[in-house]
Amino acid sequence: MSATSGGKVLVCGGAGYIGSHMAAMLAENGYEVTVFDNLSTGHREALKWGDFFEGDLRNPDDLKKVFHSKDFDAVFHFSGLIVVSESVERPDIYYDNNVTGTLNLLDEMKRSGVDRFVFSSTAAVYGNPVSDIINEEHPLAPLNPYGRSKLYIEEILRDYHRAFGLNSVCLRYFNAAGARPDGIIGEAHDPETHLIPNILLSTLREGRELKVFGDSYATPDGTCVRDYVHVQDLCSAHLLALEYLNTNSGAEVFNLGSGSGFSVLEVIKAASEVTGIDIQYTIESARSGDSARLVADSSKAREALKWRPRYDDVKTIIETAWRWHKNPTF
Ligand code: UFG
């Protein structure tokens, strides 16, 4: 199977933000897509590509059924709960969904002889950065159950490679943002916690105030610095990861970020320029667990996967998000 000749792929979490963009890109690149999703946080309206199978990773019978329906060549796994604060309050739910659910999926892959797996990991595995730019060698010290749930799976994948020959790529996302440039799908979480959607929604929804969490961090303007990476660039890295697994065995990890850091206030300024609206905000106390600065060194992905992000400036990323938020499809 090559990235251009297609193959049968299962996209777990394909009704969610990144998963739906991935389903679209896979279909456009000739893959036969099956989406598996429990629709707990995903959107039925985002299911525009491939077959849909409604099911839950925590229910092994659901997995058995979907794996009996087709001979998959590879699995992409986007079905994660992602809200850090919620993971602190309900670690049981996070470990059940993100760890037990993934173990069920891996067991079913093993039983079905599917040996290629692309996993959505996160910069949260690094915890508080000890260097300005973070590469994959940075110490792993997640600060919350969400980050730990992802790190446990990374470690399990190394064990599954050694024991069962399962080949995997873990992609550690920094801050995913933006929407498909054609505006047919975009980013919508409930509740919305992410900066760029919250900035845009504050201009579109009556009474919705934008809060900036903390302005006394050790950064140039006191607000947190993040590395925003376009969702389409994340998806192109996943396609390349699948191609990589066609010719490489192992259990690899790659950072995915743009390598540029933007503060919260810089993002608000860029959004004001994109929207033509003078965006108002209030400064609130810092959110617990936010690191001052998270910026990726993605040179490993650029070299090994030949990944070339296309949306390398934050204004273009915001422009695509703005197009969708003005005309949301869900
Ligand atoms: N922020 C605000 N106001 C908001 C929303 C966010 O000021 O309304 C700030 C945050 O405090 C942070 C920055 O904007 O400084 C970015 O916040 P996001 O919530 O957009 O993103 P995070 O960096 O907190 O989270 C991202 C992913 C998570 C993942 C985390 C790992 O979206 O899924 O990185 O560090 F867990």
Side-chain angles (χ1 to χ4, degrees), residues 34-62:
T34 300
V35 168
F36 181 91
D37 202 299
N38 65 5
L39 297 177
S40 64
T41 57
H43 305 275
R44 199 175 281 281
E45 299 86 343
L47 294 167
K48 298 176 196 285
W49 298 273
D51 296 330
F52 174 53
F53 192 102
E54 189 167 349
D56 197 306
L57 292 177
R58 292 165 299 181
N59 182 356
D61 284 343
D62 288 352

PDB file of all heavy atoms in Angstrom, residues 34-62:
ATOM      1  N   THR A  34     -13.164   4.139   6.586  1.00  0.00           N
ATOM      2  CA  THR A  34     -14.267   3.801   7.486  1.00  0.00           C
ATOM      3  C   THR A  34     -14.055   4.591   8.768  1.00  0.00           C
ATOM      4  O   THR A  34     -12.976   4.532   9.367  1.00  0.00           O
ATOM      5  CB  THR A  34     -14.287   2.292   7.827  1.00  0.00           C
ATOM      6  OG1 THR A  34     -14.437   1.557   6.615  1.00  0.00           O
ATOM      7  CG2 THR A  34     -15.441   1.961   8.772  1.00  0.00           C
ATOM      8  N   VAL A  35     -15.066   5.358   9.165  1.00  0.00           N
ATOM      9  CA  VAL A  35     -14.990   6.124  10.407  1.00  0.00           C
ATOM     10  C   VAL A  35     -15.677   5.328  11.514  1.00  0.00           C
ATOM     11  O   VAL A  35     -16.773   4.803  11.328  1.00  0.00           O
ATOM     12  CB  VAL A  35     -15.682   7.501  10.236  1.00  0.00           C
ATOM     13  CG1 VAL A  35     -15.870   8.193  11.588  1.00  0.00           C
ATOM     14  CG2 VAL A  35     -14.875   8.390   9.289  1.00  0.00           C
ATOM     15  N   PHE A  36     -14.997   5.255  12.663  1.00  0.00           N
ATOM     16  CA  PHE A  36     -15.565   4.629  13.873  1.00  0.00           C
ATOM     17  C   PHE A  36     -15.628   5.723  14.927  1.00  0.00           C
ATOM     18  O   PHE A  36     -14.604   6.344  15.234  1.00  0.00           O
ATOM     19  CB  PHE A  36     -14.632   3.492  14.306  1.00  0.00           C
ATOM     20  CG  PHE A  36     -15.080   2.735  15.527  1.00  0.00           C
ATOM     21  CD1 PHE A  36     -15.885   1.615  15.403  1.00  0.00           C
ATOM     22  CD2 PHE A  36     -14.673   3.132  16.806  1.00  0.00           C
ATOM     23  CE1 PHE A  36     -16.288   0.896  16.535  1.00  0.00           C
ATOM     24  CE2 PHE A  36     -15.065   2.419  17.931  1.00  0.00           C
ATOM     25  CZ  PHE A  36     -15.877   1.294  17.793  1.00  0.00           C
ATOM     26  N   ASP A  37     -16.817   5.984  15.452  1.00  0.00           N
ATOM     27  CA  ASP A  37     -16.947   7.109  16.386  1.00  0.00           C
ATOM     28  C   ASP A  37     -18.190   6.876  17.249  1.00  0.00           C
ATOM     29  O   ASP A  37     -19.194   6.360  16.757  1.00  0.00           O
ATOM     30  CB  ASP A  37     -17.110   8.416  15.593  1.00  0.00           C
ATOM     31  CG  ASP A  37     -16.731   9.651  16.397  1.00  0.00           C
ATOM     32  OD1 ASP A  37     -17.369   9.910  17.434  1.00  0.00           O
ATOM     33  OD2 ASP A  37     -15.795  10.366  15.976  1.00  0.00           O
ATOM     34  N   ASN A  38     -18.118   7.288  18.533  1.00  0.00           N
ATOM     35  CA  ASN A  38     -19.317   7.140  19.377  1.00  0.00           C
ATOM     36  C   ASN A  38     -20.147   8.419  19.418  1.00  0.00           C
ATOM     37  O   ASN A  38     -21.158   8.480  20.121  1.00  0.00           O
ATOM     38  CB  ASN A  38     -18.945   6.693  20.805  1.00  0.00           C
ATOM     39  CG  ASN A  38     -18.138   7.753  21.540  1.00  0.00           C
ATOM     40  OD1 ASN A  38     -17.926   8.852  21.035  1.00  0.00           O
ATOM     41  ND2 ASN A  38     -17.685   7.413  22.733  1.00  0.00           N
ATOM     42  N   LEU A  39     -19.711   9.433  18.693  1.00  0.00           N
ATOM     43  CA  LEU A  39     -20.415  10.720  18.586  1.00  0.00           C
ATOM     44  C   LEU A  39     -20.599  11.409  19.946  1.00  0.00           C
ATOM     45  O   LEU A  39     -21.486  12.252  20.100  1.00  0.00           O
ATOM     46  CB  LEU A  39     -21.767  10.563  17.869  1.00  0.00           C
ATOM     47  CG  LEU A  39     -21.676  10.082  16.412  1.00  0.00           C
ATOM     48  CD1 LEU A  39     -23.076   9.895  15.821  1.00  0.00           C
ATOM     49  CD2 LEU A  39     -20.874  11.069  15.556  1.00  0.00           C
ATOM     50  N   SER A  40     -19.742  11.082  20.909  1.00  0.00           N
ATOM     51  CA  SER A  40     -19.870  11.750  22.215  1.00  0.00           C
ATOM     52  C   SER A  40     -19.382  13.188  22.122  1.00  0.00           C
ATOM     53  O   SER A  40     -19.959  14.084  22.735  1.00  0.00           O
ATOM     54  CB  SER A  40     -19.101  10.998  23.294  1.00  0.00           C
ATOM     55  OG  SER A  40     -17.723  11.005  23.003  1.00  0.00           O
ATOM     56  N   THR A  41     -18.331  13.411  21.368  1.00  0.00           N
ATOM     57  CA  THR A  41     -17.868  14.792  21.164  1.00  0.00           C
ATOM     58  C   THR A  41     -17.796  15.143  19.677  1.00  0.00           C
ATOM     59  O   THR A  41     -17.645  16.306  19.334  1.00  0.00           O
ATOM     60  CB  THR A  41     -16.479  15.030  21.807  1.00  0.00           C
ATOM     61  OG1 THR A  41     -15.562  14.076  21.251  1.00  0.00           O
ATOM     62  CG2 THR A  41     -16.519  14.873  23.316  1.00  0.00           C
ATOM     63  N   GLY A  42     -17.895  14.163  18.816  1.00  0.00           N
ATOM     64  CA  GLY A  42     -17.825  14.407  17.374  1.00  0.00           C
ATOM     65  C   GLY A  42     -19.170  14.863  16.823  1.00  0.00           C
ATOM     66  O   GLY A  42     -20.171  14.916  17.536  1.00  0.00           O
ATOM     67  N   HIS A  43     -19.175  15.184  15.542  1.00  0.00           N
ATOM     68  CA  HIS A  43     -20.371  15.755  14.902  1.00  0.00           C
ATOM     69  C   HIS A  43     -20.822  14.864  13.751  1.00  0.00           C
ATOM     70  O   HIS A  43     -20.034  14.584  12.841  1.00  0.00           O
ATOM     71  CB  HIS A  43     -20.051  17.148  14.347  1.00  0.00           C
ATOM     72  CG  HIS A  43     -19.486  18.067  15.379  1.00  0.00           C
ATOM     73  ND1 HIS A  43     -20.265  18.810  16.225  1.00  0.00           N
ATOM     74  CD2 HIS A  43     -18.200  18.337  15.734  1.00  0.00           C
ATOM     75  CE1 HIS A  43     -19.508  19.505  17.044  1.00  0.00           C
ATOM     76  NE2 HIS A  43     -18.235  19.238  16.762  1.00  0.00           N
ATOM     77  N   ARG A  44     -22.099  14.490  13.789  1.00  0.00           N
ATOM     78  CA  ARG A  44     -22.645  13.693  12.694  1.00  0.00           C
ATOM     79  C   ARG A  44     -22.494  14.441  11.353  1.00  0.00           C
ATOM     80  O   ARG A  44     -22.234  13.843  10.316  1.00  0.00           O
ATOM     81  CB  ARG A  44     -24.126  13.394  12.971  1.00  0.00           C
ATOM     82  CG  ARG A  44     -24.692  12.253  12.189  1.00  0.00           C
ATOM     83  CD  ARG A  44     -26.111  11.940  12.615  1.00  0.00           C
ATOM     84  NE  ARG A  44     -26.198  11.162  13.839  1.00  0.00           N
ATOM     85  CZ  ARG A  44     -26.014   9.846  13.905  1.00  0.00           C
ATOM     86  NH1 ARG A  44     -25.755   9.153  12.826  1.00  0.00           N
ATOM     87  NH2 ARG A  44     -26.113   9.212  15.052  1.00  0.00           N
ATOM     88  N   GLU A  45     -22.615  15.765  11.402  1.00  0.00           N
ATOM     89  CA  GLU A  45     -22.526  16.580  10.170  1.00  0.00           C
ATOM     90  C   GLU A  45     -21.120  16.555   9.570  1.00  0.00           C
ATOM     91  O   GLU A  45     -20.934  16.953   8.420  1.00  0.00           O
ATOM     92  CB  GLU A  45     -22.901  18.041  10.463  1.00  0.00           C
ATOM     93  CG  GLU A  45     -24.298  18.256  10.987  1.00  0.00           C
ATOM     94  CD  GLU A  45     -24.400  18.091  12.512  1.00  0.00           C
ATOM     95  OE1 GLU A  45     -23.480  17.507  13.132  1.00  0.00           O
ATOM     96  OE2 GLU A  45     -25.419  18.528  13.069  1.00  0.00           O
ATOM     97  N   ALA A  46     -20.139  16.131  10.367  1.00  0.00           N
ATOM     98  CA  ALA A  46     -18.761  16.081   9.850  1.00  0.00           C
ATOM     99  C   ALA A  46     -18.472  14.753   9.156  1.00  0.00           C
ATOM    100  O   ALA A  46     -17.371  14.536   8.656  1.00  0.00           O
ATOM    101  CB  ALA A  46     -17.772  16.304  10.994  1.00  0.00           C
ATOM    102  N   LEU A  47     -19.482  13.863   9.115  1.00  0.00           N
ATOM    103  CA  LEU A  47     -19.283  12.532   8.517  1.00  0.00           C
ATOM    104  C   LEU A  47     -19.611  12.587   7.032  1.00  0.00           C
ATOM    105  O   LEU A  47     -20.680  12.163   6.604  1.00  0.00           O
ATOM    106  CB  LEU A  47     -20.200  11.519   9.204  1.00  0.00           C
ATOM    107  CG  LEU A  47     -19.890  11.247  10.675  1.00  0.00           C
ATOM    108  CD1 LEU A  47     -21.034  10.497  11.330  1.00  0.00           C
ATOM    109  CD2 LEU A  47     -18.592  10.452  10.784  1.00  0.00           C
ATOM    110  N   LYS A  48     -18.726  13.132   6.264  1.00  0.00           N
ATOM    111  CA  LYS A  48     -19.006  13.304   4.838  1.00  0.00           C
ATOM    112  C   LYS A  48     -18.171  12.365   3.976  1.00  0.00           C
ATOM    113  O   LYS A  48     -18.321  12.345   2.765  1.00  0.00           O
ATOM    114  CB  LYS A  48     -18.705  14.743   4.409  1.00  0.00           C
ATOM    115  CG  LYS A  48     -19.547  15.812   5.114  1.00  0.00           C
ATOM    116  CD  LYS A  48     -19.083  17.195   4.659  1.00  0.00           C
ATOM    117  CE  LYS A  48     -19.573  18.304   5.558  1.00  0.00           C
ATOM    118  NZ  LYS A  48     -20.984  18.625   5.375  1.00  0.00           N
ATOM    119  N   TRP A  49     -17.235  11.644   4.596  1.00  0.00           N
ATOM    120  CA  TRP A  49     -16.313  10.836   3.805  1.00  0.00           C
ATOM    121  C   TRP A  49     -16.292   9.402   4.320  1.00  0.00           C
ATOM    122  O   TRP A  49     -16.144   9.164   5.514  1.00  0.00           O
ATOM    123  CB  TRP A  49     -14.898  11.429   3.865  1.00  0.00           C
ATOM    124  CG  TRP A  49     -14.864  12.811   3.285  1.00  0.00           C
ATOM    125  CD1 TRP A  49     -14.690  13.143   1.967  1.00  0.00           C
ATOM    126  CD2 TRP A  49     -15.044  14.042   3.993  1.00  0.00           C
ATOM    127  NE1 TRP A  49     -14.755  14.505   1.824  1.00  0.00           N
ATOM    128  CE2 TRP A  49     -14.968  15.079   3.039  1.00  0.00           C
ATOM    129  CE3 TRP A  49     -15.273  14.372   5.330  1.00  0.00           C
ATOM    130  CZ2 TRP A  49     -15.105  16.414   3.384  1.00  0.00           C
ATOM    131  CZ3 TRP A  49     -15.409  15.701   5.674  1.00  0.00           C
ATOM    132  CH2 TRP A  49     -15.319  16.707   4.713  1.00  0.00           C
ATOM    133  N   GLY A  50     -16.443   8.468   3.411  1.00  0.00           N
ATOM    134  CA  GLY A  50     -16.308   7.056   3.755  1.00  0.00           C
ATOM    135  C   GLY A  50     -17.540   6.499   4.448  1.00  0.00           C
ATOM    136  O   GLY A  50     -18.585   7.138   4.549  1.00  0.00           O
ATOM    137  N   ASP A  51     -17.388   5.248   4.919  1.00  0.00           N
ATOM    138  CA  ASP A  51     -18.470   4.582   5.650  1.00  0.00           C
ATOM    139  C   ASP A  51     -18.407   5.009   7.109  1.00  0.00           C
ATOM    140  O   ASP A  51     -17.323   5.285   7.628  1.00  0.00           O
ATOM    141  CB  ASP A  51     -18.292   3.060   5.592  1.00  0.00           C
ATOM    142  CG  ASP A  51     -18.412   2.548   4.164  1.00  0.00           C
ATOM    143  OD1 ASP A  51     -19.141   3.180   3.381  1.00  0.00           O
ATOM    144  OD2 ASP A  51     -17.749   1.536   3.853  1.00  0.00           O
ATOM    145  N   PHE A  52     -19.567   4.995   7.755  1.00  0.00           N
ATOM    146  CA  PHE A  52     -19.593   5.335   9.181  1.00  0.00           C
ATOM    147  C   PHE A  52     -20.066   4.152  10.002  1.00  0.00           C
ATOM    148  O   PHE A  52     -21.065   3.513   9.656  1.00  0.00           O
ATOM    149  CB  PHE A  52     -20.510   6.535   9.431  1.00  0.00           C
ATOM    150  CG  PHE A  52     -20.682   6.830  10.904  1.00  0.00           C
ATOM    151  CD1 PHE A  52     -19.568   6.995  11.723  1.00  0.00           C
ATOM    152  CD2 PHE A  52     -21.945   6.934  11.466  1.00  0.00           C
ATOM    153  CE1 PHE A  52     -19.714   7.246  13.093  1.00  0.00           C
ATOM    154  CE2 PHE A  52     -22.095   7.194  12.832  1.00  0.00           C
ATOM    155  CZ  PHE A  52     -20.983   7.348  13.635  1.00  0.00           C
ATOM    156  N   PHE A  53     -19.363   3.858  11.076  1.00  0.00           N
ATOM    157  CA  PHE A  53     -19.737   2.803  12.004  1.00  0.00           C
ATOM    158  C   PHE A  53     -19.830   3.431  13.388  1.00  0.00           C
ATOM    159  O   PHE A  53     -18.825   3.886  13.935  1.00  0.00           O
ATOM    160  CB  PHE A  53     -18.670   1.703  11.986  1.00  0.00           C
ATOM    161  CG  PHE A  53     -19.091   0.457  12.680  1.00  0.00           C
ATOM    162  CD1 PHE A  53     -19.505  -0.655  11.964  1.00  0.00           C
ATOM    163  CD2 PHE A  53     -19.092   0.395  14.067  1.00  0.00           C
ATOM    164  CE1 PHE A  53     -19.908  -1.807  12.614  1.00  0.00           C
ATOM    165  CE2 PHE A  53     -19.499  -0.748  14.723  1.00  0.00           C
ATOM    166  CZ  PHE A  53     -19.911  -1.859  13.991  1.00  0.00           C
ATOM    167  N   GLU A  54     -21.040   3.494  13.951  1.00  0.00           N
ATOM    168  CA  GLU A  54     -21.188   4.089  15.277  1.00  0.00           C
ATOM    169  C   GLU A  54     -20.829   3.059  16.341  1.00  0.00           C
ATOM    170  O   GLU A  54     -21.433   1.978  16.401  1.00  0.00           O
ATOM    171  CB  GLU A  54     -22.626   4.588  15.476  1.00  0.00           C
ATOM    172  CG  GLU A  54     -22.759   5.412  16.753  1.00  0.00           C
ATOM    173  CD  GLU A  54     -24.073   6.175  16.833  1.00  0.00           C
ATOM    174  OE1 GLU A  54     -24.805   6.237  15.814  1.00  0.00           O
ATOM    175  OE2 GLU A  54     -24.363   6.706  17.913  1.00  0.00           O
ATOM    176  N   GLY A  55     -19.851   3.370  17.147  1.00  0.00           N
ATOM    177  CA  GLY A  55     -19.417   2.409  18.153  1.00  0.00           C
ATOM    178  C   GLY A  55     -18.478   3.059  19.140  1.00  0.00           C
ATOM    179  O   GLY A  55     -18.044   4.199  18.952  1.00  0.00           O
ATOM    180  N   ASP A  56     -18.177   2.301  20.193  1.00  0.00           N
ATOM    181  CA  ASP A  56     -17.383   2.846  21.291  1.00  0.00           C
ATOM    182  C   ASP A  56     -16.169   1.947  21.528  1.00  0.00           C
ATOM    183  O   ASP A  56     -16.315   0.716  21.620  1.00  0.00           O
ATOM    184  CB  ASP A  56     -18.275   2.876  22.548  1.00  0.00           C
ATOM    185  CG  ASP A  56     -17.696   3.776  23.616  1.00  0.00           C
ATOM    186  OD1 ASP A  56     -16.519   3.570  23.981  1.00  0.00           O
ATOM    187  OD2 ASP A  56     -18.422   4.676  24.067  1.00  0.00           O
ATOM    188  N   LEU A  57     -15.021   2.575  21.646  1.00  0.00           N
ATOM    189  CA  LEU A  57     -13.788   1.799  21.859  1.00  0.00           C
ATOM    190  C   LEU A  57     -13.826   1.003  23.160  1.00  0.00           C
ATOM    191  O   LEU A  57     -13.104   0.025  23.321  1.00  0.00           O
ATOM    192  CB  LEU A  57     -12.576   2.735  21.942  1.00  0.00           C
ATOM    193  CG  LEU A  57     -12.160   3.478  20.678  1.00  0.00           C
ATOM    194  CD1 LEU A  57     -10.988   4.390  20.989  1.00  0.00           C
ATOM    195  CD2 LEU A  57     -11.785   2.485  19.597  1.00  0.00           C
ATOM    196  N   ARG A  58     -14.657   1.463  24.096  1.00  0.00           N
ATOM    197  CA  ARG A  58     -14.718   0.759  25.387  1.00  0.00           C
ATOM    198  C   ARG A  58     -15.580  -0.494  25.294  1.00  0.00           C
ATOM    199  O   ARG A  58     -15.668  -1.241  26.258  1.00  0.00           O
ATOM    200  CB  ARG A  58     -15.244   1.713  26.462  1.00  0.00           C
ATOM    201  CG  ARG A  58     -14.230   2.824  26.757  1.00  0.00           C
ATOM    202  CD  ARG A  58     -14.863   3.943  27.518  1.00  0.00           C
ATOM    203  NE  ARG A  58     -15.945   4.543  26.736  1.00  0.00           N
ATOM    204  CZ  ARG A  58     -16.688   5.568  27.134  1.00  0.00           C
ATOM    205  NH1 ARG A  58     -16.454   6.111  28.298  1.00  0.00           N
ATOM    206  NH2 ARG A  58     -17.635   6.053  26.370  1.00  0.00           N
ATOM    207  N   ASN A  59     -16.211  -0.692  24.140  1.00  0.00           N
ATOM    208  CA  ASN A  59     -17.048  -1.874  23.957  1.00  0.00           C
ATOM    209  C   ASN A  59     -16.395  -2.811  22.930  1.00  0.00           C
ATOM    210  O   ASN A  59     -16.497  -2.591  21.716  1.00  0.00           O
ATOM    211  CB  ASN A  59     -18.442  -1.428  23.480  1.00  0.00           C
ATOM    212  CG  ASN A  59     -19.370  -2.612  23.329  1.00  0.00           C
ATOM    213  OD1 ASN A  59     -18.950  -3.767  23.507  1.00  0.00           O
ATOM    214  ND2 ASN A  59     -20.611  -2.348  23.001  1.00  0.00           N
ATOM    215  N   PRO A  60     -15.706  -3.858  23.395  1.00  0.00           N
ATOM    216  CA  PRO A  60     -14.970  -4.736  22.471  1.00  0.00           C
ATOM    217  C   PRO A  60     -15.853  -5.318  21.363  1.00  0.00           C
ATOM    218  O   PRO A  60     -15.359  -5.562  20.252  1.00  0.00           O
ATOM    219  CB  PRO A  60     -14.410  -5.830  23.382  1.00  0.00           C
ATOM    220  CG  PRO A  60     -14.327  -5.188  24.736  1.00  0.00           C
ATOM    221  CD  PRO A  60     -15.481  -4.228  24.811  1.00  0.00           C
ATOM    222  N   ASP A  61     -17.153  -5.504  21.645  1.00  0.00           N
ATOM    223  CA  ASP A  61     -18.034  -6.058  20.598  1.00  0.00           C
ATOM    224  C   ASP A  61     -18.177  -5.101  19.421  1.00  0.00           C
ATOM    225  O   ASP A  61     -18.251  -5.530  18.266  1.00  0.00           O
ATOM    226  CB  ASP A  61     -19.424  -6.367  21.167  1.00  0.00           C
ATOM    227  CG  ASP A  61     -19.397  -7.639  22.005  1.00  0.00           C
ATOM    228  OD1 ASP A  61     -18.419  -8.411  21.865  1.00  0.00           O
ATOM    229  OD2 ASP A  61     -20.326  -7.828  22.803  1.00  0.00           O
ATOM    230  N   ASP A  62     -18.235  -3.799  19.717  1.00  0.00           N
ATOM    231  CA  ASP A  62     -18.308  -2.807  18.631  1.00  0.00           C
ATOM    232  C   ASP A  62     -17.071  -2.920  17.744  1.00  0.00           C
ATOM    233  O   ASP A  62     -17.137  -2.862  16.515  1.00  0.00           O
ATOM    234  CB  ASP A  62     -18.383  -1.383  19.196  1.00  0.00           C
ATOM    235  CG  ASP A  62     -19.722  -1.073  19.842  1.00  0.00           C
ATOM    236  OD1 ASP A  62     -20.639  -1.899  19.723  1.00  0.00           O
ATOM    237  OD2 ASP A  62     -19.830  -0.001  20.473  1.00  0.00           O
TER     238      ASP A  62
END
